[in-house]
Amino acid sequence: KQIADAFDIIDGKIVSYATYHPALYEYDKGTFPNDNVMSFGRVMTKVTETTKGYASLLIKNIIEEMNLDNERFPLRDIEAKITYAKNQLVSAEEFCANASNIYEKKVGEIYLSYCNQLKKNNALDFDDMLLLCYRLFTEHEEELKKWQKRFLYVLVDEFQDINRCQYEIVKL
């Protein structure tokens, strides 16, 4: 049984165990308000290795469409930069605006195009699950209150390994 499905009853109360992504996935399904802020409406698909492959394929196609050199812009490096940016709560627009050289500007263009492709296809990548939850909680107080009411206490195992986005969600 996966940890996301695990629970115990302690002193007559249900205690749930979950990692970030499965917990937020379960919470998020059908939760996002259907407005321009969240832009994905009620569509949310569970992220699997297949969707990770889909994300890689999207980025690879964008690099090819931009006629960029694969050696200068290796797929894994671009994926890592996009993941890092999302985990630091840096949007594609912010990334582009803060680019300080031609390489960063091109990476920013890839990131922006990638986000637009995901949005066009009503798709989310692994990092979006956290990023959109953070946005949901910071932009829609009523949703944050539901989360806070449901979970009075949150224990984070290996806290030293969480990224900024995870930290900000727990802090809320």
Side-chain angles (χ1 to χ4, degrees):
K1 199 169 196 181
Q2 288 189 6
I3 195 166
D5 297 328
F7 71 92
D8 284 322
I9 297 179
I10 300 174
D11 294 332
K13 297 188 185 210
I14 296 175
V15 178
S16 298
Y17 305 91
T19 58
Y20 276 99
H21 291 88
L24 295 175
Y25 169 74
E26 288 304 317
Y27 179 77
D28 291 340
K29 283 193 303 191
T31 301
F32 291 117
N34 193 7
D35 61 17
N36 291 330
V37 174
M38 298 316 293
S39 72
F40 289 102
R42 296 187 171 274
V43 176
M44 185 150 210
T45 305
K46 194 163 191 173
V47 178
T48 65
E49 287 303 312
T50 304
T51 54
K52 186 176 184 293
Y54 173 72
S56 294
L57 183 62
L58 274 181
I59 294 170
K60 181 178 183 243
N61 289 341
I62 292 165
I63 292 169
E64 288 174 3
E65 287 170 10
M66 293 175 67
N67 294 318
L68 297 173
D69 179 18
N70 287 329
E71 288 187 25
R72 181 137 161 82
F73 297 90
L75 178 61
R76 285 184 182 245
D77 290 358
I78 301 304
E79 289 175 322
K81 288 183 185 316
I82 291 171
T83 289
Y84 182 78
K86 287 183 177 188
N87 289 337
Q88 294 301 311
L89 305 174
V90 176
S91 69
E93 294 80 9
E94 290 171 306
F95 191 98
C96 289
N98 294 323
S100 61
N101 57 50
I102 293 172
Y103 177 80
E104 288 179 1
K105 288 179 184 178
K106 290 294 180 191
V107 172
E109 290 174 29
I110 295 167
Y111 182 13
L112 187 60
S113 181
Y114 172 65
C115 290
N116 289 336
Q117 287 291 322
L118 288 174
K119 186 175 180 180
K120 177 181 166 188
N121 293 306
N122 270 340
L124 299 171
D125 67 15
F126 201 66
D127 303 308
D128 287 331
M129 292 178 73
L130 294 173
L131 186 58
L132 291 179
C133 279
Y134 172 77
R135 286 185 53 208
L136 176 70
F137 294 157
T138 57
E139 296 172 15
H140 298 276
E141 189 175 343
E142 68 281 0
E143 294 300 329
L144 175 60
K145 290 196 183 299
K146 284 182 199 176
W147 179 264
Q148 290 170 331
K149 186 176 179 181
R150 181 170 175 196
F151 297 101
L152 300 177
Y153 303 99
V154 176
L155 171 68
V156 179
D157 189 23
E158 300 196 28
F159 185 79
Q160 74 277 5
D161 293 332
I162 67 173
N163 61 47
R164 179 174 176 212
C165 188
Q166 292 168 331
Y167 172 75
E168 294 297 334
I169 289 170
V170 169
K171 195 169 82 169
L172 292 170

